[in-house]
Amino acid sequence: MKDGQIENYINEYGPILFRFCYSLTKDRYLGEELYQDTFLLLLSKKDEIDPDGNVKGYLCTVAARLWKDRKRKYARRFRIAPTYSDELSEIPEEKTTEGEVEKNILKNDIQMAIEELDEIYREVILLQYMGGLSIEEIGEKCNIPIGTVKSRIHYGKKQLKERLEGLGYGPRK
Protein backbone atom coordinates (compact mmCIF):
# COMPACT_ATOMS: atom_id res chain seq x y z
CA MET A 1 0.00 0.00 0.00
CA LYS A 2 1.25 3.48 -0.86
CA ASP A 3 1.36 6.48 1.48
CA GLY A 4 -1.08 8.33 -0.78
CA GLN A 5 -3.57 5.53 -0.30
CA ILE A 6 -3.41 6.02 3.46
CA GLU A 7 -4.38 9.65 2.95
CA ASN A 8 -7.34 8.44 0.87
CA TYR A 9 -8.37 6.11 3.71
CA ILE A 10 -8.20 9.01 6.17
CA ASN A 11 -10.39 11.14 3.90
CA GLU A 12 -12.83 8.33 3.12
CA TYR A 13 -13.11 6.54 6.48
CA GLY A 14 -11.93 9.25 8.89
CA PRO A 15 -15.35 10.71 9.81
CA ILE A 16 -16.90 7.25 10.25
CA LEU A 17 -13.95 6.05 12.33
CA PHE A 18 -14.06 9.16 14.52
CA ARG A 19 -17.76 8.64 15.26
CA PHE A 20 -17.01 4.99 16.02
CA CYS A 21 -14.16 5.95 18.38
CA TYR A 22 -16.32 8.60 20.05
CA SER A 23 -19.11 6.04 20.51
CA LEU A 24 -16.71 3.59 22.15
CA THR A 25 -15.03 6.08 24.47
CA LYS A 26 -17.96 8.40 25.19
CA ASP A 27 -15.39 11.20 25.37
CA ARG A 28 -14.22 13.54 22.61
CA TYR A 29 -10.55 13.65 23.64
CA LEU A 30 -10.25 9.92 24.23
CA GLY A 31 -12.05 9.37 20.92
CA GLU A 32 -9.58 11.64 19.12
CA GLU A 33 -6.66 9.82 20.71
CA LEU A 34 -8.07 6.43 19.76
CA TYR A 35 -8.73 7.70 16.23
CA GLN A 36 -5.13 8.87 15.85
CA ASP A 37 -3.71 5.68 17.33
CA THR A 38 -5.77 3.61 14.91
CA PHE A 39 -4.38 5.43 11.89
CA LEU A 40 -0.86 5.29 13.35
CA LEU A 41 -1.21 1.53 13.62
CA LEU A 42 -2.47 1.47 10.03
CA LEU A 43 0.71 3.30 9.00
CA SER A 44 2.91 0.80 10.79
CA LYS A 45 1.07 -2.17 9.23
CA LYS A 46 0.45 -0.65 5.81
CA ASP A 47 2.06 -3.60 4.03
CA GLU A 48 -0.38 -6.04 5.68
CA ILE A 49 -3.54 -4.21 4.56
CA ASP A 50 -5.46 -5.58 1.60
CA PRO A 51 -6.74 -2.51 -0.29
CA ASP A 52 -9.45 -4.66 -1.88
CA GLY A 53 -10.66 -5.91 1.52
CA ASN A 54 -12.97 -4.30 4.06
CA VAL A 55 -10.72 -1.45 5.19
CA LYS A 56 -13.48 0.28 7.15
CA GLY A 57 -14.18 -2.93 9.06
CA TYR A 58 -10.47 -3.41 9.67
CA LEU A 59 -10.10 0.12 11.05
CA CYS A 60 -13.10 -0.26 13.36
CA THR A 61 -11.80 -3.62 14.60
CA VAL A 62 -8.37 -2.14 15.29
CA ALA A 63 -9.98 0.77 17.16
CA ALA A 64 -12.12 -1.61 19.26
CA ARG A 65 -9.09 -3.72 20.18
CA LEU A 66 -7.01 -0.66 21.03
CA TRP A 67 -9.85 0.61 23.22
CA LYS A 68 -10.13 -2.73 25.05
CA ASP A 69 -6.37 -2.69 25.68
CA ARG A 70 -6.52 0.90 26.88
CA LYS A 71 -9.44 0.18 29.21
CA ARG A 72 -7.51 -2.67 30.79
CA LYS A 73 -4.55 -0.36 31.25
CA TYR A 74 -6.76 2.39 32.77
CA ALA A 75 -8.42 -0.12 35.10
CA ARG A 76 -5.05 -1.37 36.31
CA ARG A 77 -3.80 2.20 36.86
CA PHE A 78 -7.00 3.20 38.62
CA ARG A 79 -6.59 0.35 41.10
CA ILE A 80 -3.06 1.56 41.82
CA ALA A 81 -3.70 5.33 41.90
CA PRO A 82 -7.31 6.49 41.48
CA THR A 83 -7.91 9.72 39.54
CA TYR A 84 -11.06 11.71 39.02
CA SER A 85 -12.18 13.78 36.07
CA ASP A 86 -15.34 15.85 35.88
CA GLU A 87 -14.71 16.87 32.31
CA LEU A 88 -17.22 15.52 29.86
CA SER A 89 -16.87 16.75 26.35
CA GLU A 90 -19.27 16.57 23.48
CA ILE A 91 -19.01 17.07 19.78
CA PRO A 92 -19.66 20.78 19.22
CA GLU A 93 -22.99 21.66 17.69
CA GLU A 94 -23.36 23.77 14.58
CA LYS A 95 -26.09 26.22 13.64
CA THR A 96 -28.56 24.43 11.40
CA THR A 97 -32.00 24.69 9.86
CA GLU A 98 -35.09 23.38 11.65
CA GLY A 99 -35.10 20.03 9.83
CA GLU A 100 -31.44 19.50 10.56
CA VAL A 101 -32.03 20.38 14.22
CA GLU A 102 -34.65 17.64 14.47
CA LYS A 103 -32.28 15.23 12.74
CA ASN A 104 -29.50 16.20 15.19
CA ILE A 105 -31.83 15.66 18.14
CA LEU A 106 -32.66 12.18 16.86
CA LYS A 107 -28.95 11.43 16.30
CA ASN A 108 -28.11 12.63 19.82
CA ASP A 109 -30.91 10.53 21.32
CA ILE A 110 -29.69 7.45 19.43
CA GLN A 111 -26.10 8.18 20.46
CA MET A 112 -27.14 8.48 24.12
CA ALA A 113 -29.11 5.24 23.89
CA ILE A 114 -26.10 3.46 22.37
CA GLU A 115 -23.81 4.86 25.07
CA GLU A 116 -26.13 3.47 27.76
CA LEU A 117 -25.88 -0.07 26.37
CA ASP A 118 -23.72 -2.60 28.17
CA GLU A 119 -20.33 -2.70 26.49
CA ILE A 120 -20.75 -6.24 25.16
CA TYR A 121 -23.84 -5.12 23.24
CA ARG A 122 -22.48 -1.71 22.27
CA GLU A 123 -19.33 -3.17 20.73
CA VAL A 124 -21.08 -5.62 18.39
CA ILE A 125 -23.78 -3.08 17.44
CA LEU A 126 -21.13 -0.50 16.53
CA LEU A 127 -18.99 -3.02 14.66
CA GLN A 128 -21.97 -4.12 12.60
CA TYR A 129 -23.67 -0.81 11.89
CA MET A 130 -20.78 1.66 11.91
CA GLY A 131 -17.97 -0.72 11.03
CA GLY A 132 -19.91 -2.54 8.36
CA LEU A 133 -18.71 -5.96 9.52
CA SER A 134 -20.70 -9.12 8.94
CA ILE A 135 -21.71 -11.34 11.85
CA GLU A 136 -18.98 -13.80 10.92
CA GLU A 137 -16.35 -11.05 10.80
CA ILE A 138 -17.43 -9.70 14.20
CA GLY A 139 -17.18 -13.19 15.70
CA GLU A 140 -13.73 -13.65 14.21
CA LYS A 141 -12.45 -10.21 15.27
CA CYS A 142 -13.87 -10.42 18.81
CA ASN A 143 -13.04 -14.12 19.26
CA ILE A 144 -16.62 -15.07 20.10
CA PRO A 145 -18.95 -17.65 18.51
CA ILE A 146 -21.34 -16.52 15.77
CA GLY A 147 -24.32 -17.47 17.92
CA THR A 148 -23.06 -15.17 20.67
CA VAL A 149 -22.65 -12.33 18.16
CA LYS A 150 -26.22 -12.83 16.96
CA SER A 151 -27.50 -12.95 20.52
CA ARG A 152 -25.66 -9.78 21.53
CA ILE A 153 -26.92 -7.93 18.46
CA HIS A 154 -30.48 -9.09 19.19
CA TYR A 155 -30.43 -8.07 22.85
CA GLY A 156 -28.55 -4.84 22.07
CA LYS A 157 -31.17 -3.84 19.50
CA LYS A 158 -33.93 -4.78 21.94
CA GLN A 159 -32.40 -2.54 24.63
CA LEU A 160 -31.98 0.28 22.10
CA LYS A 161 -35.62 -0.03 21.08
CA GLU A 162 -36.78 0.10 24.70
CA ARG A 163 -34.63 3.15 25.45
CA LEU A 164 -35.78 5.01 22.35
CA GLU A 165 -39.42 4.19 23.05
CA GLY A 166 -38.86 5.56 26.55
CA LEU A 167 -37.75 8.82 24.92
CA GLY A 168 -40.98 8.98 22.92
CA TYR A 169 -39.87 7.37 19.68
CA GLY A 170 -41.98 4.54 18.47
CA PRO A 171 -43.42 2.83 15.45
CA ARG A 172 -45.00 5.19 12.95
CA LYS A 173 -48.75 4.81 12.57
Side-chain angles (χ1 to χ4, degrees):
M1 176 171 32
K2 300 174 184 174
D3 289 336
Q5 195 163 9
I6 291 174
E7 188 175 329
N8 291 339
Y9 290 155
I10 291 171
N11 292 333
E12 186 174 350
Y13 303 119
I16 294 168
L17 182 64
F18 179 75
R19 284 192 302 274
F20 181 78
C21 292
Y22 179 77
S23 297
L24 281 177
T25 63
K26 301 180 192 176
D27 181 271
R28 181 176 178 86
Y29 298 107
L30 289 174
E32 286 174 356
E33 188 175 325
L34 183 60
Y35 170 85
Q36 291 169 1
D37 289 345
T38 302
F39 276 112
L40 284 174
L41 191 64
L42 177 72
L43 276 171
S44 68
K45 296 187 177 211
K46 63 183 178 186
D47 296 330
E48 299 174 21
I49 307 300
D50 177 16
D52 298 325
N54 185 354
V55 177
K56 179 175 74 170
Y58 175 80
L59 290 170
C60 289
T61 301
V62 167
R65 285 186 178 170
L66 286 172
W67 179 240
K68 278 184 178 180
D69 292 344
R70 193 163 292 155
K71 276 187 16 182
R72 278 194 296 267
K73 182 172 78 173
Y74 289 152
R76 189 170 45 248
R77 284 184 182 172
F78 185 76
R79 283 192 302 270
I80 295 170
T83 60
Y84 300 95
S85 173
D86 292 331
E87 291 183 36
L88 291 176
S89 60
E90 296 182 12
I91 297 175
E93 307 223 359
E94 300 175 10
K95 295 179 182 178
T96 58
T97 63
E98 186 176 318
E100 290 175 355
V101 169
E102 290 176 7
K103 187 176 175 182
N104 285 339
I105 290 171
L106 175 61
K107 281 182 180 180
N108 289 337
D109 287 346
I110 292 171
Q111 182 68 35
M112 284 182 1
I114 289 172
E115 288 175 6
E116 292 172 0
L117 288 175
D118 293 336
E119 180 154 354
I120 61 171
Y121 302 128
R122 186 173 60 241
E123 181 181 22
V124 295
I125 295 272
L126 291 174
L127 284 172
Q128 184 175 40
Y129 291 101
M130 290 184 77
L133 296 178
S134 68
I135 291 173
E136 293 79 15
E137 290 171 320
I138 294 170
E140 183 181 308
K141 304 288 184 186
C142 295
N143 295 322
I144 55 177
I146 292 173
T148 303
V149 174
K150 289 179 180 180
S151 174
R152 288 180 183 179
I153 289 172
H154 170 77
Y155 287 112
K157 286 169 48 175
K158 184 177 176 183
Q159 285 182 13
L160 274 175
K161 179 182 176 189
E162 290 169 0
R163 286 189 170 101
L164 290 172
E165 285 176 349
L167 293 172
Y169 297 101
R172 295 185 184 235
K173 296 178 181 179

